[in-house]
């Protein structure tokens, strides 16, 4: 009974949820119909509405938020917000890449200054890489060169992969200050000091920080790569939002890499770059060679071991089972496969070209009911006497000398640069990219030595975009409804998500408690206390009932006798009183006098 009640409650709750959902849908349809009716009425009364609009002043339009480009408010070396809508100050490369085909060697990728496709801030313009599968190169000079001495370097800019990114980069190069630097000839081999920014191909998500370190002994440059960030970078490449990339280099050789003002990588130029800044003090001697008698074997075969006389190397690993017996009904004369009697030679069969035709083989029908057909052979089993080829046991090599290594010698190229921060000065910012995706949006480039100035620039630019993008995002309920409209089966998930907890709450909170007898019995079962026998309890109860009934009957008998005695006493008293009354009447009759008239 209790189970039925729970099932009924569950069904009622589920029906309630489904009914509510149907009511919501019906309400939506009713609203749509109401809107259609209102539209029809509006169309029919269009002229009247126009006259009323002429008489009633129109309400003011809703104000539109217009983007205002940030303005640098402190010391800086480069600031570009593209608020003018032109490429003024930027130089397109006219060069060609070396070592590739002439058709694809040109830097002919298109650049435009325009708003984002799905902009939330009208007036927000940026530099957009427009071409797909093209080489792009563009650069601009700093206001003045930056020298790495006692001030930090902060580089930041914004990127938005408007259409996603399949394979390509969005990194920036800080070009080295050299006498032969010409922005019109900017190519992949142009000297740079730092390369920083996002890059992706396939499922490899990278955030580059590379700087070219000058060897103080040879004067040659070598690229040093920062360790890979531990953070998952996938979201920044796929969410189609504007993200702020920041690189901070400090004079104490520490660095920080931030995305959206959150640190995703940090370390030291001395300890966290690959290859290391400073080479080892010692190296292996290239002229050292291992001696011919050097023994590197930790174990050898025991030379004193002798093969036992009873060791049979020729014994097979498997032998026939002598205890096996051929099953009854085995068909020795029947082949396992026979030629298909129903097969016909193809009409186009050419025996000169194809050879003699033979019917295909099929399983022998006679063998289907038999345990087997053909020549019976004993099954094989493991040979208990098999030992295999004898080998002497292994023992420790008494002549073991260890693994040979060449001796160490002082590194002739050793140097110690304790100040790798002091890099080659930079004088320009450049984008030299190849991408299989188009419409990559760049904005708000900034180079400074003051972190507070950089943060203020970011707050005025990227901060405003972040707020606008956040305000444009739908709430959780709207997102769920939108998803359900695209995938109607999600409505079932929503209903079950609400109904199941509701049903459980009703079932477990609204059902009755167990009887006290069953509860006491259940509690009794949890203990080891002795329990009287059921029959004895029944007999005791019956005895108690009989005793109470006997007492009750005795009380009734005594009560009846008392009432009877009282009745007899009353009868005798009444008789005597009647006699006395008659005697008084007789006396009065004898001695009374007649009344006078």
């Amino acid at each position: 009974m209790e189970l039925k009640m729970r099932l009924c409650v569950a069904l009622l709750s589920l029906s309630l949820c489904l009914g509510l959902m149907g009511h919501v849908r019906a309400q939506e349809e009713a609203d749509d119909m109401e809107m259609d009716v209102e539209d029809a009425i509006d169309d029919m009364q269009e002229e009247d509405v126009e006259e009323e609009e002429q008489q009633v002043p129109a309400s003011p339009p809703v104000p539109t938020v217009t983007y205002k480009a940030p303005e640098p408010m402190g010391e800086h070396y480069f600031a570009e917000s593209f608020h003018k809508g032109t490429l003024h100050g930027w130089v397109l490369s006219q060069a060609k890449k070396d070592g590739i085909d002439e058709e694809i060697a040109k830097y002919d990728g298109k650049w435009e200054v325009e708003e984002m496709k799905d902009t939330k801030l009208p007036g927000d313009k940026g530099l957009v890489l427009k071409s797909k599968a093209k080489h792009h190169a563009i650069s601009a000079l700093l206001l003045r060169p930056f020298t790495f001495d006692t001030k930090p370097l902060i580089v930041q800019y914004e990127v938005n992969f408007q259409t996603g990114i399949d394979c390509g980069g969005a990194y920036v190069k800080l070009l080295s200050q050299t006498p032969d630097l010409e922005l019109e000839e900017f190519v992949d081999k142009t000297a740079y000091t730092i390369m920083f920014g996002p890059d992706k191909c396939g499922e490899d998500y990278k955030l580059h920080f590379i700087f070219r370190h000058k060897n103080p002994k040879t004067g040659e440059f070598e690229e040093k790569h920062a360790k890979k960030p531990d953070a998952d970078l996938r979201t920044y490449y796929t969410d189609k939002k504007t993200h702020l990339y920041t690189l901070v280099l400090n004079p104490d050789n520490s660095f920080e890499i931030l995305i959206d003002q959150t640190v995703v990588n940090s370390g030291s130029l001395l300890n966290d770059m690959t290859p290391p800044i400073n080479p080892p003090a010692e190296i292996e001697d290239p002229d050292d060679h291992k001696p011919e008698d050097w023994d590197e074997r930790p174990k050898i075969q025991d030379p004193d071991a002798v093969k036992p006389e009873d060791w049979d190397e020729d014994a097979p690993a498997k032998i026939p089972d002598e205890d096996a017996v051929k099953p009854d009904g085995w068909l020795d004369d029947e082949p396992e496969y026979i030629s298909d009697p129903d097969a016909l030679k193809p009409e186009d069969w050419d025996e000169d070209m194809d050879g003699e035709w033979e019917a295909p083989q099929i399983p022998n029908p006679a063998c289907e009911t038999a345990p087997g057909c053909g020549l019976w052979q004993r099954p094989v089993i493991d040979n208990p006497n098999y030992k295999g080829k004898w080998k002497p046991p292994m023992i420790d090599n008494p002549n073991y000398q260890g693994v040979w290594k060449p001796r160490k010698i002082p590194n002739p190229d050793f140097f110690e640069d304790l100040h790798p921060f002091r890099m080659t000065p930079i004088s320009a910012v450049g984008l030299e990219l190849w991408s299989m995706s188009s419409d990559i949006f760049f904005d708000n480039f900034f180079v400074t030595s003051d972190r507070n100035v950089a943060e203020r620039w970011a707050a005025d630019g990227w901060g405003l975009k972040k707020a606008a993008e956040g305000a444009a995002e739908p709430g959780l309920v709207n997102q769920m409804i939108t998803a359900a409209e695209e995938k109607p089966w999600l409505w079932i998930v929503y209903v079950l998500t609400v109904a199941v907890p509701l049903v459980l709450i009703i079932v477990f909170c609204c059902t009755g408690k167990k009887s006290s007898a069953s509860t006491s019995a259940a509690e009794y079962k949890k203990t080891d206390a002795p329990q009287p026998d059921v029959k004895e309890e029944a007999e005791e109860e019956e005895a108690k009932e009989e005793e109470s009934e006997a007492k009750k009957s005795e009380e009734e008998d005594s009560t009846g006798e008392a009432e009877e005695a009282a009745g007899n006493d009353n009868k005798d008293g009444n008789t005597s009183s009647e006699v006395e009354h008659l005697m008084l009447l007789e006396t009065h009759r004898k001695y009374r006098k007649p009344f006078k008239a």
Side-chain angles (χ1 to χ4, degrees):
M1 186 66 183
E2 184 178 358
L3 179 60
K4 291 182 178 179
M5 183 172 65
R6 292 188 178 185
L7 291 175
C8 291
V9 173
L11 292 174
L12 288 173
S13 302
L14 185 59
S15 301
L16 177 62
C17 295
L18 292 174
L20 289 174
M21 185 181 70
H23 175 72
V24 172
R25 290 202 172 191
Q27 185 65 32
E28 291 178 353
E29 293 177 357
D31 293 340
D32 293 340
M33 293 177 63
E34 184 178 357
M35 292 177 63
D36 293 339
V37 172
E38 290 178 356
D39 293 339
I41 294 174
D42 291 341
D43 292 337
M44 294 172 62
Q45 300 178 350
E46 183 177 0
E47 295 179 358
D48 295 336
V49 171
E50 291 178 355
E51 293 177 1
E52 292 177 0
E53 289 179 352
Q54 292 177 0
Q55 297 176 0
V56 180
S59 59
V62 178
T64 303
V65 179
T66 304
Y67 175 77
K68 181 180 179 181
E71 297 180 1
M73 303 294 290
E75 183 182 9
H76 63 282
Y77 295 82
F78 187 78
E80 179 60 84
S81 61
F82 302 99
H83 64 284
K84 296 180 180 179
T86 65
L87 288 174
H88 177 72
W90 290 83
V91 179
L92 296 173
S93 175
Q94 306 298 324
K96 297 180 181 180
K97 295 191 71 170
D98 295 334
I100 60 175
D101 295 339
E102 183 72 17
E103 296 179 357
I104 60 175
K106 295 181 179 180
Y107 283 91
D108 53 355
K110 302 298 182 182
W111 298 91
E112 296 290 345
V113 176
E114 61 186 21
E115 296 183 4
M116 284 189 289
K117 292 183 176 180
D118 188 19
T119 183
K120 305 299 185 298
L121 291 172
D124 177 22
K125 296 181 179 180
L127 180 65
V128 181
L129 182 148
K130 299 295 293 182
S131 305
K132 183 185 297 185
K134 294 281 188 179
H135 292 287
H136 302 73
I138 191 171
S139 56
L141 290 172
L142 303 182
L143 298 177
R144 60 187 181 280
F146 179 88
T147 303
F148 295 86
D149 45 22
T150 60
K151 295 182 179 181
L153 172 68
I154 297 96
V155 181
Q156 69 182 24
Y157 67 105
E158 301 168 10
V159 178
N160 187 313
F161 298 107
Q162 299 185 84
T163 60
I165 181 72
D166 295 325
C167 186
Y171 44 81
V172 62
K173 289 183 177 180
L174 303 181
L175 305 183
S176 302
Q177 183 185 18
T178 58
D180 58 347
L181 177 61
E182 295 183 6
L183 301 185
E184 293 84 356
E185 299 298 322
F186 178 35
V187 294
D188 57 331
K189 295 181 180 179
T190 300
Y192 70 90
T193 300
I194 293 174
M195 188 175 87
F196 166 66
D199 189 13
K200 174 188 178 291
C201 198
E203 292 300 315
D204 188 10
Y205 300 86
K206 297 179 180 179
L207 182 55
H208 291 298
F209 166 42
I210 306 170
F211 79 94
R212 297 172 72 243
H213 178 258
K214 184 177 181 180
N215 189 315
K217 295 191 70 172
T218 64
E220 296 179 354
F221 286 89
E222 184 179 23
E223 290 184 351
K224 308 293 183 180
H225 297 249
K227 63 181 181 181
K228 188 175 181 180
D230 296 331
D232 185 6
L233 306 177
R234 182 188 304 268
T235 304
Y236 303 113
Y237 297 80
T238 58
D239 60 3
K240 299 181 181 179
K241 294 182 179 180
T242 303
H243 294 289
L244 178 69
Y245 295 86
T246 306
L247 171 66
V248 180
L249 289 178
N250 297 308
D252 62 356
N253 299 317
S254 63
F255 70 87
E256 287 183 334
I257 299 174
L258 302 89
I259 302 180
D260 298 343
Q261 298 183 327
T262 299
V263 176
V264 297
N265 197 4
S266 62
S268 171
L269 299 179
L270 287 170
N271 304 321
D272 299 303
M273 306 301 291
T274 304
I277 299 296
N278 298 312
E282 291 184 335
I283 61 172
E284 295 179 348
D285 186 359
D287 299 327
D288 191 16
H289 301 284
K290 182 175 71 172
E292 294 182 358
D293 58 349
W294 189 276
D295 196 343
E296 293 181 333
R297 299 173 300 165
K299 297 282 186 179
I300 60 171
Q301 293 182 350
D302 186 0
D304 299 328
V306 179
K307 183 175 71 172
E309 294 182 357
D310 59 347
W311 192 284
D312 186 4
E313 294 184 345
D314 298 329
K318 299 285 186 179
I319 58 174
D321 186 4
E322 298 297 336
D323 297 332
V325 179
K326 182 172 67 174
D328 295 336
W330 189 278
L331 305 178
D332 297 272
D333 299 332
E334 290 288 343
E336 187 175 359
Y337 291 92
I338 62 173
S339 298
D340 186 359
D342 298 329
L344 299 175
K345 183 174 70 173
E347 296 180 357
D348 58 349
W349 189 272
D350 188 349
E351 293 189 354
D352 295 334
M353 297 291 294
D354 303 326
E356 184 180 357
W357 180 81
E358 295 181 358
Q361 298 288 303
I362 61 172
N364 190 346
C367 301
E368 293 180 357
T369 58
C373 293
L375 179 63
W376 180 81
Q377 295 180 347
R378 297 179 183 275
V380 294
I381 59 174
D382 294 333
N383 185 359
N385 298 321
Y386 174 74
K387 296 182 179 180
K389 185 175 179 61
W390 181 83
K391 295 179 181 179
M394 303 297 289
I395 61 172
D396 293 335
N397 184 2
N399 300 321
Y400 176 65
Q401 296 174 276
V403 179
W404 182 86
K405 294 181 180 179
R407 63 176 176 266
K408 296 284 188 177
I409 62 172
N411 185 358
D413 299 325
F414 173 73
F415 64 85
E416 189 175 26
D417 182 3
L418 300 179
H419 304 284
F421 172 77
R422 298 173 184 173
M423 306 176 190
T424 306
I426 58 176
S427 60
V429 173
L431 296 169
E432 189 270 320
L433 305 170
W434 182 90
S435 177
M436 289 300 296
S437 301
S438 60
D439 296 311
I440 303 176
F441 184 89
F442 299 87
D443 200 6
N444 292 334
F445 291 88
F446 200 65
V447 179
T448 182
S449 59
D450 190 331
R451 193 159 184 172
N452 292 328
V453 174
E455 290 177 354
R456 189 182 301 114
W457 172 273
D460 294 342
W462 173 78
L464 185 60
K465 296 179 184 180
K466 180 183 178 183
E469 290 176 349
E473 289 183 353
L476 178 60
V477 176
N478 292 334
Q479 292 179 10
M480 294 175 63
I481 294 176
T482 302
E485 290 176 352
E486 297 177 356
K487 300 176 181 178
W489 57 267
L490 285 175
W491 286 110
I492 300 176
V493 177
Y494 298 160
V495 171
L496 293 178
T497 303
V498 176
V500 171
L502 183 62
V503 169
L504 293 176
I505 292 173
I506 294 174
V507 169
F508 289 104
C509 294
C510 300
T511 53
K513 296 183 179 180
K514 295 183 179 179
S515 64
S516 59
S518 60
T519 303
S520 61
E523 292 177 352
Y524 177 81
K525 291 180 180 179
K526 298 179 181 178
T527 66
D528 295 331
Q531 182 180 11
D533 188 70
V534 177
K535 294 182 178 180
E536 293 178 357
E537 289 183 353
E539 292 175 357
E540 291 178 358
E541 291 179 357
E542 291 177 359
K544 290 180 180 179
E545 291 178 358
E546 291 177 357
E547 185 178 354
S548 62
E549 290 178 358
K551 289 181 179 180
K552 186 175 182 181
S553 61
E554 290 177 359
E555 292 176 355
E556 291 176 354
D557 293 341
S558 60
T559 303
E561 291 176 355
E563 290 178 352
E564 185 177 356
N568 293 332
D569 292 340
N570 292 332
K571 185 177 180 182
D572 294 340
N574 293 334
T575 305
S576 58
S577 60
E578 290 177 358
V579 172
E580 292 177 355
H581 182 67
L582 291 174
M583 290 176 67
L584 289 172
L585 290 175
E586 183 64 24
T587 302
H588 179 70
R589 185 180 61 80
K590 288 180 178 181
Y591 296 98
R592 66 180 182 178
K593 293 179 178 181
F595 290 98
K596 292 181 178 180

